[in-house]
Amino acid sequence: MHVHVGQPGDAEFAQVAGHVGVAARTGCRRHGGPLPTGPAGAGHPSTLEQDPAPGSGAPGRSAHRRRVVGSARYPLAVPEVSLRPATGADIPDLLAFWQAAAEDAHRPADTARAVEALVARDPEALILAVDGGSLVGSVIAGWDGWRCHLYRLAVAPTHRGRGIGRLLIAVAEERFRRLGGTRADAMVLVDNEPAHRAWRAAGYTPQAEWARWVKPLRSE
């Protein structure tokens, strides 16, 4: 995740990312650096990227672009993909990305104003996955102080099957834990079978006792 040094939310986002094994590098460039991910190492569920000790002969940061993510039991290996919170500058690309990757013809149309409101209210909620400057994944980890809501989990069709969705879910869940959440729920389309498999793999199951009731809210 890109961590912008000195901006609100940096400490929380870096702490959450570090807990699930996404390296946090603050201050390596003018606006901070990406949090690269990579294959899990035996016995090391998470690793923060650091410079080697002088004279150690160990390679520097440039040789550590693929970092440890996840654990031996549940590895999160997503080489060259970084995660960061969305900003206002991402909105045009994000709206286009959702059109291509977030399948749901039944939802209201997305608008830049709605995304701006989300980012302004909770700058850490909308998490993006980026590969070489291209947006390849998203999830919204919504926290209202009581419940943990996950929605807009989407991965670019060209990048599916690489563990990006699993990584986004893991980072979102860790954010909830840091905020005091105890249970997460996810919005999943009934007929999206690939999404069902992804959510089940992450430990989620349908709750038969509940159904989602909706009502559009229109301006008076």
Side-chain angles (χ1 to χ4, degrees):
M1 304 175 189
H2 283 68
V3 181
H4 295 265
V5 180
Q7 298 298 315
D10 288 351
E12 177 197 341
F13 216 77
Q15 186 179 37
V16 168
H19 192 83
V20 296
V22 182
R25 296 192 298 144
T26 59
C28 59
R29 289 198 300 271
R30 180 169 177 264
H31 293 294
L35 302 184
T37 67
H44 295 281
S46 65
T47 296
L48 294 181
E49 187 171 14
Q50 299 176 344
D51 282 327
S56 66
R61 284 178 172 152
S62 61
H64 286 282
R65 296 297 295 174
R66 299 183 180 217
R67 306 304 301 166
V68 175
V69 175
S71 66
R73 174 180 175 274
Y74 198 50
L76 299 174
V78 193
E80 306 308 326
V81 171
S82 61
L83 304 186
R84 62 175 175 83
T87 68
D90 295 308
I91 293 176
D93 288 343
L94 182 62
L95 293 176
F97 171 75
W98 280 342
Q99 285 290 323
E103 300 90 345
D104 185 1
H106 307 289
R107 66 171 184 257
D110 297 321
T111 66
R113 182 178 179 182
V115 181
E116 288 170 356
L118 170 64
V119 172
R121 181 183 182 277
D122 188 349
E124 307 294 346
L126 178 48
I127 304 168
L128 306 181
V130 180
D131 181 4
S134 298
L135 178 58
V136 297
S138 74
V139 71
I140 298 176
W143 165 252
D144 60 11
W146 184 265
R147 294 187 183 274
C148 310
H149 301 285
L150 288 167
Y151 45 106
R152 290 305 171 91
L153 176 68
V155 177
T158 55
H159 285 65
R160 291 174 184 171
R162 303 185 188 184
I164 295 172
R166 188 171 60 190
L167 179 59
L168 285 164
I169 292 171
V171 171
E173 290 174 345
E174 186 56 32
R175 176 177 194 250
F176 292 148
R177 293 187 188 96
R178 298 286 183 182
L179 292 171
T182 58
R183 185 177 68 167
D185 63 63
M187 290 177 56
V188 187
L189 284 171
V190 172
D191 59 356
N192 191 340
E193 192 59 36
H196 296 182
R197 292 194 294 269
W199 285 106
R200 287 184 188 278
Y204 290 75
T205 59
Q207 189 172 15
E209 300 86 358
W210 294 87
R212 183 174 177 235
W213 293 29
V214 300
K215 175 185 176 181
L217 299 178
R218 295 182 173 84
S219 300
E220 297 297 337

